[in-house]
Amino acid sequence: MAKVLVLFAHPRPDRSEVNYPMFETAQAVQGVTAVDLYARYPDFDIDVDAEQAQLVEHDVIIFQHPLYWYSAPSIMKEWQDLVLEYGFAYGQHGHELDGKIFLNAVTTGAKPDAYSEQGMNHADLRSLLAPFEKTADLCRMKYLAPFCLFGAGRAVEEGRLNVHRNAYDDLLKALVADRLDLEKATRADVLTDILDDFILKGETV
Amino acid sequence: MELLSDAFVYLCAAVIAVPIANRLGLGSVLGYLIAGVVIGPVLGIVGSETTEVQHFAEFGVVMMLFLVGLELQPAVLWKMRKQLIGLGGLQVVGTTAVFAGIGLVFGLEWQGALALGMILALSSTAIVLQTLNEKGWLKTQGGQSSFSVLLTQDIAVIPMLAVLPLLAVGHVAGNGAEHSDGHGHGGHEGGGAHGGEALAALPGWAQALVIFAVIIAIIIAGRHLLRPVFRFIAEAHLREIFTATALLLVIGIALLMDFVGLSPALGTFLAGVVLSDSDYRHELESDIEPFKGLLLGLFFLTVGAGIDFNLLFGAPITIFGLALGLMAVKFALLFGLGTLFRLDGPDRWLFALGLAQAGEFAFVLFGFASSSGALDQSLLRTMTLVVAISMLLTPALFILYEKVIAPRASAKSDREADVIDSKGRVVIVGMGRFGQIISRLLLTSGYDVVILDHDPQTVENLSKVGIKTFYGDATRPDLLHTAGVGDVDLFIAAIDDRDKQTLVVEHVAKTYPKVKILARARDRHHVYELENVGAHIAEREVFEGALALGRQALVELGGHPFRARTKTREFRNHDFAMLDDLRENYNDGGVDKSYIDAMRAHAETLFDIMRVDRGEERHDRTERGWNPPPKGDATLGLEPEGEETRG
């Protein structure tokens, strides 16, 4: 059994159609600690010691957020700047995060074809999220492909929200149960909403 | 040397008695009076000189009126004209009439009765103003009304001085010299004219002309002459000379007024008003203030010391009976007037109780009446004692008002509490500076808020700007109930009065356990107090505001705005940690040694935290994430193929 930490960032959860419902899904999964960063630190006064202690406690770290300017909402950057400290996460004595699993659970406004060499962004999602991947590498964490819902603005109207929530539920449960095919998930471009390929069958470990 | 030893005795008495009286909540006036009784009649250390000292000390009253004048801009005074003439005038005339009537009943000649009536109509400006000031009641409606009446009385002294000699019926003063009043009015035995010696020879119309001219001169000189003089003196940067100038001004005006036979207090009051909108107002205030305080203290001392114990013990019942009767009559009249002028519950009581004594001007006028033969000597001696006793009892009345009447009267105020006909999720009590900000935040955010305040003026002002506020005293359980406290989610207590605030929070916490209570606290100890009686959240009223200004101070001192922000947050976090840590300590034994030790330890930690970047340890607690990693390769310790740097 792995302990999963979902760090959720959305500055207007009351207006969120997808991310907040996903956060609610995460809260309901056993073995998952789901934290609303904007609620915990409305003044951005991040308690570094508490956050570091929480990280040490968990095996899987998930940043759940909408994609803002090809990155996360600002509190997540602030959190990274403060919590992933020299001597804790990296540097000479910084080994506290070694071997933990890290992934982004994101939603994008644009359709999937915008995230390709030929598309509007001239790059796929995973390469746009390179700063997160490099951060994970530097902290010796295992970086998985992003779990993404494209075109989130129309997801509710198109009936995709519940499908995605179920997939998120599956993903989190698989992570808790150590049943995610990590090698495959590391190599993939994106963890799609068809997760079956990534989830290991058979006995619980 | 005698002067010094007398001064020593007086100062000694004051220094011992006043702090004790203050500590006991009796106020400084009672402290002085008791000290006077102790060094005078009880121990007999001071004696015959008290009358002279008293005349000297009356100068304190003069200075007090100068200071009062400084506080009153002419426009404010003009606004008060209705109260001055109506309330004040009625009080003086009415009280004079009633006491004159009583005098007639007791068989006085009508002249004597009238003289007595006029004298007893006056109240003690010194005691009342000093007390109102000390307790912060001067701005209340009751305080304002009291002040108006006192001012009218001071003005009324002028015609009284004019009339008294006319009332002479031939009680030739046996020992008039002893009663000479130090204002230059002594010695006019049966004289027909008022005014100082200098004017006595002039005919009436000429005297009036001179008086008028003097007043105009004070106003013109105050406006056009004094300011350049003060500027010149101030530019010399000699503080003692500025003080000397201020004293010179007050003494000079007093002498001038004396010379033309007007009340010096009135003259200096006028000068004060003229200077009230000048730049030097505050400096003048702070220069004169200590002199006023000491002289007034001296004055109260002499009142206490001057009590004739032989006379008192000779007929204690008569004397006390007269004093109490005097006060009862004045109280009844004042209370009636207060009702007539629509003073509300506690204000009417403050007004009537506060002014119920006879005043220090009575001593002056008794002296005058004695020398002019309007009243006979034995009556004068008795009445002097009665007046002193009534002054002596006044502080007790103020205490009665503060401890007993004010808390109850405000509940039984004439104005019925409003019927609260709207409901909300929040009830806020107290709409001072603090409550108003919260209410505006909640109202503009779209929440329904029921607001309660016990000051009719505030309620009216707020309704003018469209914030509906209900009038009522939040310490009344029934009112809280009708305000719907039982059904709301939040109860926000923002009452200014510290004890009331705690009381209300305690009541709500006990009666409505489901309601969340947010309370404004005076300071850290009040936070604990409020938490202990059931507040869920208590916020120190000035804490965040002070931090905000402190943060700006750091910027003004050259700090980078973001560092100023960080330092301030760090300080704030530490302070909250300290608030948590000290809670148990405080609840265990209040501010004891362990509390103070814990506080000291915290202060030292704080120094360490705030000082960090002055030293070598660049990578420490403060600004953790924004400090660069140690010099050299930050990625040391990474795998060989590790990245160049962070990010």
Side-chain angles (χ1 to χ4, degrees), chain B residues 330-345:
Chain B
K330 290 194 80 165
F331 171 81
L333 285 168
L334 288 160
F335 201 80
L337 271 179
T339 315
L340 195 66
F341 277 75
R342 306 228 164 112
L343 280 176
D344 269 336

Side-chain angles (χ1 to χ4, degrees), chain A residues 122-187:
Chain A
H122 303 293
D124 65 15
L125 180 65
R126 178 152 180 174
S127 55
L128 287 171
L129 291 174
F132 291 101
E133 181 161 0
K134 293 295 156 198
T135 300
D137 288 349
L138 186 59
C139 300
R140 283 168 298 248
M141 293 194 282
K142 194 184 272 291
Y143 185 80
L144 306 188
F147 174 73
C148 182
L149 178 73
F150 293 101
R154 297 195 53 80
V156 173
E157 289 80 354
E158 292 166 6
R160 290 186 286 127
L161 174 60
N162 280 338
V163 180
H164 190 68
R165 279 183 80 167
N166 287 336
Y168 196 36
D169 190 55
D170 289 345
L171 172 70
L172 291 172
K173 281 176 176 158
L175 283 166
V176 171
D178 290 322
R179 273 189 166 177
L180 196 76
D181 187 336
L182 294 179
E183 288 317 308
K184 215 167 169 183
T186 307
R187 278 180 273 108

Side-chain angles (χ1 to χ4, degrees), chain A residues 43-45 48-49 52 78 80-82 84-86 90-93 95 134-135 137-140, chain B residues 562 565 569 572-573 619-621 624-626 629-630 633-639 643 645-647:
Chain A
D43 294 315
F44 278 53
D45 271 341
V48 177
D49 290 325
Q52 288 181 347
E78 183 78 349
Q80 285 175 285
D81 290 356
L82 294 178
L84 302 179
E85 212 171 16
Y86 175 88
Y90 75 106
Q92 210 161 4
H93 305 288
H95 289 281
K134 293 295 156 198
T135 300
D137 288 349
L138 186 59
C139 300
R140 283 168 298 248
Chain B
F562 189 65
R565 177 261 185 199
R569 303 305 289 191
R572 182 177 184 274
N573 290 343
H619 205 79
D620 207 303
R621 279 200 67 229
R624 302 172 71 155
W626 303 298
D633 187 359
T635 57
L636 270 180
L638 291 175
E639 309 298 321
E643 268 69 16
T645 56
R646 167 167 70 142

Side-chain angles (χ1 to χ4, degrees), chain B residues 194-386:
Chain B
H194 72 286
E197 293 94 343
L199 297 179
L202 292 176
W205 63 268
Q207 283 183 26
L209 210 64
V210 170
I211 289 166
F212 194 63
V214 164
I215 290 176
I216 298 290
I218 288 180
I219 293 174
I220 292 177
R223 290 234 156 220
H224 302 289
L225 193 66
L226 283 177
R227 281 176 216 199
V229 168
F230 275 120
R231 191 173 315 126
F232 179 72
I233 304 278
E235 274 162 10
H237 294 295
L238 293 166
R239 186 157 171 93
E240 67 277 16
I241 292 301
F242 193 89
T243 308
T245 315
L247 281 177
L248 179 70
L249 172 74
V250 175
I251 294 175
I253 290 174
L255 282 176
L256 180 66
M257 296 303 275
D258 212 32
F259 183 69
V260 298
L262 289 181
S263 147
L266 195 67
T268 49
F269 171 76
L270 203 62
V273 174
V274 171
L275 289 172
S276 64
D277 42 14
S278 88
D279 306 340
Y280 299 101
R281 178 178 138 200
H282 294 295
E283 241 174 308
L284 284 170
E285 261 181 55
S286 58
D287 275 345
I288 299 287
E289 188 77 50
F291 293 101
K292 177 214 83 174
L294 273 179
L295 284 174
L296 273 186
L298 192 56
F299 175 75
F300 298 135
L301 276 169
T302 58
V303 171
I307 286 187
D308 187 342
F309 263 38
N310 289 331
L311 193 53
L312 181 61
F313 288 137
I317 297 172
T318 317
I319 300 286
F320 270 102
L322 280 173
L324 290 174
L326 164 77
M327 296 175 88
V329 171
K330 290 194 80 165
F331 171 81
L333 285 168
L334 288 160
F335 201 80
L337 271 179
T339 315
L340 195 66
F341 277 75
R342 306 228 164 112
L343 280 176
D344 269 336
D347 285 320
R348 189 168 54 198
W349 282 94
L350 175 61
F351 174 68
L353 283 177
L355 295 176
Q357 76 297 105
E360 56 276 356
F361 271 115
F363 302 130
V364 177
L365 292 175
F366 279 148
F368 201 44
S370 141
S371 56
S372 65
L375 290 167
D376 78 64
Q377 291 306 315
S378 69
L379 180 63
L380 274 177
R381 269 201 299 278
T382 310
M383 288 316 291
T384 306
L385 189 54
V386 167

Side-chain angles (χ1 to χ4, degrees), chain A residues 25-201:
Chain A
T25 302
Q27 281 179 305
V29 178
Q30 258 203 331
V32 172
T33 311
V35 175
D36 180 345
L37 282 181
Y38 275 105
R40 187 182 271 181
Y41 302 115
D43 294 315
F44 278 53
D45 271 341
I46 287 166
D47 182 340
V48 177
D49 290 325
E51 290 300 311
Q52 288 181 347
Q54 184 178 256
L55 283 182
V56 171
E57 282 273 294
H58 291 82
D59 309 298
V60 181
I61 320 298
I62 300 178
F63 275 13
Q64 189 211 312
H65 57 94
L67 207 63
Y68 274 21
W69 292 116
Y70 310 100
S71 183
S74 55
I75 200 168
M76 254 165 181
K77 182 65 168 64
E78 183 78 349
W79 185 95
Q80 285 175 285
D81 290 356
L82 294 178
V83 179
L84 302 179
E85 212 171 16
Y86 175 88
F88 169 80
Y90 75 106
Q92 210 161 4
H93 305 288
H95 289 281
E96 298 288 350
L97 303 179
D98 285 13
K100 294 185 192 293
I101 295 165
F102 178 90
L103 78 122
N104 295 83
V106 298
T107 57
T108 72
K111 296 269 177 212
D113 54 19
Y115 296 90
S116 64
E117 294 285 339
Q118 294 74 36
M120 190 186 85
N121 293 314
H122 303 293
D124 65 15
L125 180 65
R126 178 152 180 174
S127 55
L128 287 171
L129 291 174
F132 291 101
E133 181 161 0
K134 293 295 156 198
T135 300
D137 288 349
L138 186 59
C139 300
R140 283 168 298 248
M141 293 194 282
K142 194 184 272 291
Y143 185 80
L144 306 188
F147 174 73
C148 182
L149 178 73
F150 293 101
R154 297 195 53 80
V156 173
E157 289 80 354
E158 292 166 6
R160 290 186 286 127
L161 174 60
N162 280 338
V163 180
H164 190 68
R165 279 183 80 167
N166 287 336
Y168 196 36
D169 190 55
D170 289 345
L171 172 70
L172 291 172
K173 281 176 176 158
L175 283 166
V176 171
D178 290 322
R179 273 189 166 177
L180 196 76
D181 187 336
L182 294 179
E183 288 317 308
K184 215 167 169 183
T186 307
R187 278 180 273 108
D189 285 333
V190 63
L191 302 179
T192 64
D193 41 13
I194 306 152
L195 274 168
D196 283 356
D197 293 354
F198 297 97
I199 294 174
L200 300 167
K201 303 288 179 287

